[in-house]
Amino acid sequence: MDQIINRLEVVLQRYNEINKLLMDSNILNDIKEMTKLSKEASDLEDIVKAYQLLKTNIDNMAAAQDLLKENDAELQEMAQLELDELKNQQDHLLSDIEILLIPKDPNDEKNVIVEIRGAAGGDEANIFAGDLYRMYVKYAEAHNWKIETMEVQESEAGGFSLISFILKGALAYSKMKFESGAHRVQRVPKTESQGRVHTSTATVLALPEAEEIDVEINDNDLKIDVYRSSGAGGQSVNTTDSAVRITHLPTNTVVTCQDGRSQHENKAQAMKVIRAKIYENVMAQKAEAEGAVRKQAIGSGDRSEKIRTYNYPQNRVTDHRIGLTLQSLDRVMEGKLDEIFEALLAEEQKQKLLGE
């Protein structure tokens, strides 16, 4: 308890310090610094409120303890009942505070860039990639997120060999960050005449959208090619050179974008992906240098790591990282992902509390 109180006092002091700084005329004239401090104050506000409730609870418990010393038996009984209730409230408060004190992922509030590719399984893998895309779109729509398609490579049999898009909305990355990895589907393909269940995979990559202040890119490190957009089967769908391919030479990161209405728009979208991939690489190197490589039970985020199986015959979905199985695949494919995301978040919080 004393250790938590000490941490809460440090937070309270910082919160009060920030509020004083926000009244400083020099800060008010510095939009960038004011925005930064306002966000920090907002992040600390819930912890401060919880600490105030905890202090009130501690004072009330002390008062109840004093009443227990009275000679009045009825008063002692009432005091004990109140003390039991207050102790229960304190346990819940301390549990909430522990979670609030967990360091936040600085990327949680960012938009997210998602890339889905058909992998093992030929046409069926591409069709499944399309199913995953629709699943995420329905989830995004239910949360009033904006969806911007960046690149589409349609498959002649249906679905996509590749589709990339941005999801813009509140805490988009905090929800979608768990989706990176290999998604496995078990079902009877439409092309299967014998009714046999096949296993196919599609891979998902979810990256936080990085701002220019997050990562610096030298223009001399970029090779930019323009060409005509093409649709499914390679046919041209644009008579002008509007599609853009950008290669970041130091990392050999290649991004193409052709879904925009102009070369300018495609270049801007491609730069977003380049920036996000380089930012992700920088963050991974930083984590490794700090001895915090993301190889936890929650998953490393490696695209080759099998994270989830979608079994259609049994209407079952299993997340292998946390051993979660739901008999509601039909609902999940309609974008009802909150139960899975909440379980993954709870496991992440548990690991952080354990210092893993």
Side-chain angles (χ1 to χ4, degrees):
M1 171 76 90
D2 289 344
Q3 187 176 4
I4 288 179
I5 294 293
N6 290 337
R7 289 179 67 187
L8 290 170
E9 276 297 320
V10 171
V11 171
L12 179 60
Q13 288 174 15
R14 176 58 181 164
Y15 182 75
N16 291 333
E17 179 186 357
I18 292 170
N19 283 326
K20 286 182 181 177
L21 287 170
L22 288 172
M23 296 174 66
D24 188 312
S25 59
N26 292 325
I27 299 295
L28 291 172
N29 292 325
D30 187 338
I31 300 297
K32 186 176 179 181
E33 185 65 17
M34 187 177 71
T35 302
K36 178 183 172 185
L37 289 172
S38 296
K39 185 182 181 305
E40 186 180 353
S42 177
D43 290 342
L44 297 178
E45 192 171 359
D46 286 343
I47 302 175
V48 171
K49 286 180 179 177
Y51 183 29
Q52 289 168 343
L53 290 174
L54 180 63
K55 288 199 288 187
T56 300
N57 178 278
I58 291 170
D59 290 341
N60 290 339
M61 286 185 71
Q65 289 279 8
D66 288 340
L67 287 176
L68 280 176
K69 299 172 185 176
E70 297 290 335
N71 292 325
D72 189 323
E74 187 176 344
L75 202 58
Q76 287 180 343
E77 184 180 355
M78 288 176 61
Q80 187 60 54
L81 286 171
E82 184 179 4
L83 199 59
D84 291 342
E85 186 179 342
L86 288 167
K87 178 66 171 68
N88 187 47
Q89 289 177 7
Q90 186 176 104
D91 289 342
H92 285 295
L93 273 171
L94 289 171
S95 178
D96 291 342
I97 286 169
E98 275 191 329
I99 293 172
L100 288 169
L101 286 172
I102 295 173
K104 290 185 178 180
D105 185 335
N107 296 316
D108 275 353
E109 295 184 10
K110 293 181 183 292
N111 297 323
V112 60
I113 295 172
V114 184
E115 188 178 278
I116 306 172
R117 293 176 182 267
D123 289 341
E124 172 65 4
N126 294 336
I127 292 169
F128 181 53
D131 294 336
L132 290 177
Y133 169 69
R134 284 185 287 274
M135 177 182 76
Y136 293 135
V137 166
K138 288 182 178 182
Y139 181 82
E141 288 173 345
H143 289 76
N144 297 315
W145 293 351
K146 185 178 178 183
I147 305 154
E148 288 184 9
T149 305
M150 301 178 69
E151 183 181 5
V152 179
Q153 294 178 16
E154 294 182 347
S155 168
E156 290 184 356
F160 309 101
S161 58
L162 165 69
I163 184 165
S164 61
F165 52 99
I166 303 177
L167 297 178
K168 297 184 175 183
L171 298 172
Y173 181 71
S174 74
K175 305 287 187 183
M176 293 293 297
K177 65 182 177 182
F178 301 115
E179 293 305 285
S180 290
H183 295 241
R184 183 175 69 172
V185 62
Q186 295 174 328
R187 64 186 179 189
V188 179
K190 294 176 182 177
T191 55
E192 169 57 54
S193 59
Q194 303 296 320
R196 292 172 296 189
V197 174
H198 288 223
T199 298
S200 305
T201 57
T203 61
V204 176
L205 181 64
L207 300 171
E209 184 183 12
E211 304 294 335
E212 289 187 28
I213 59 172
D214 293 324
V215 58
E216 186 176 340
I217 298 176
N218 190 326
D219 289 342
N220 294 327
D221 290 338
L222 299 176
K223 179 176 181 286
I224 301 175
D225 301 304
V226 294
Y227 56 99
R228 290 186 182 180
S229 301
S230 61
Q235 72 266 31
S236 177
V237 296
N238 198 320
T239 57
T240 62
D241 293 338
S242 62
V244 175
R245 180 189 300 110
I246 300 180
T247 304
H248 183 250
L249 299 174
T251 60
N252 199 32
T253 301
V254 181
V255 172
T256 60
C257 191
Q258 63 178 33
D259 205 56
R261 288 167 292 184
S262 66
Q263 184 184 123
H264 176 76
E265 186 176 328
N266 284 324
K267 181 181 177 183
Q269 295 283 49
M271 279 303 299
K272 286 183 181 180
V273 182
I274 285 281
R275 195 175 292 116
K277 290 189 174 184
I278 295 172
Y279 178 62
E280 175 77 358
N281 187 48
V282 169
M283 293 294 288
Q285 289 178 353
K286 181 181 177 184
E288 187 171 1
E290 293 171 352
V293 183
R294 295 185 307 161
K295 291 289 182 183
Q296 306 169 332
I298 198 72
S300 64
D302 192 310
R303 200 198 286 260
S304 64
E305 178 191 15
K306 183 183 72 178
I307 65 167
R308 197 175 297 143
T309 295
Y310 305 73
N311 185 296
Y312 276 73
Q314 298 179 28
N315 195 36
R316 184 182 70 227
V317 59
T318 300
D319 195 290
H320 303 289
R321 296 163 295 181
I322 55 176
L324 174 69
T325 296
L326 302 174
Q327 299 295 147
S328 55
L329 176 59
D330 52 344
R331 296 185 72 253
V332 167
M333 297 311 293
E334 289 299 312
K336 305 295 191 297
L337 288 160
D338 280 326
E339 187 172 356
I340 295 175
F341 288 171
E342 286 168 8
L344 288 163
L345 177 61
E347 179 62 25
E348 182 187 56
Q349 291 174 339
K350 176 184 172 184
Q351 289 177 3
K352 287 182 177 179
L353 282 171
L354 294 173
E356 295 180 1

